[in-house]
Amino acid sequence: MKTLALTLSLAFATAALAAPALARSDEPKQVTVSTADLNLDHPAGVDALYSRIRGAAREVCRGAEGRGVAMQITWRKCMNEAVDGAVASAHNDALASLHLAKSGRSAATVAAK
C-alpha cells in the first residue's frame, strides 16, 4: 500500500502545477517508488527510500527544467511538491526527519504544501 501512496503523491504534486511544460497531457505523470525491498527501521533503508523518491521526483518533473529563471522556479517547485508529498504519504518519521535535514527547509514550510 505504501507504494501506491507514494505513486499518487508524486502524481498529484505534478497535477497541481500550471506550468505549460508539465501540462502536455491530461494525465499527470506517475512514477512508482517501491519500498518492498527496504527495511525502513534502519537508517540505510530510509536513505535508500529518500534517494528513490528524489529520483522519481526528477522523472515526474522532467520537462520543467530549463535555463530560464521561470523554468528553474517551476522545476524547483515541482521537485519540492513531489518530494514533500511522497515523504508525507510514506508516514515514516525517520524519512520525514531526513527530508527536513536534506531539504534545508523548515517543517512549517514543508507542511504548508
Side-chain angles (χ1 to χ4, degrees), residues 29-104:
K29 188 166 187 178
Q30 297 183 17
V31 176
T32 300
V33 177
S34 177
T35 61
D37 62 328
L38 299 177
N39 182 348
L40 299 180
D41 292 328
H42 293 285
V46 173
D47 250 358
L49 177 56
Y50 191 71
S51 292
R52 290 178 189 181
I53 289 171
R54 298 242 344 130
R58 279 189 292 279
E59 179 68 27
V60 167
C61 297
R62 184 169 288 146
E65 70 270 90
R67 293 182 185 235
V69 173
M71 290 300 288
Q72 290 176 3
I73 291 169
T74 298
W75 183 82
R76 176 59 52 205
K77 182 177 180 183
C78 180
M79 286 292 294
N80 287 344
E81 289 184 12
V83 175
D84 290 349
V87 168
S89 70
H91 303 291
N92 182 293
D93 291 338
L95 180 64
S97 294
L98 178 64
H99 176 49
L100 289 176
K102 291 206 177 224
S103 71

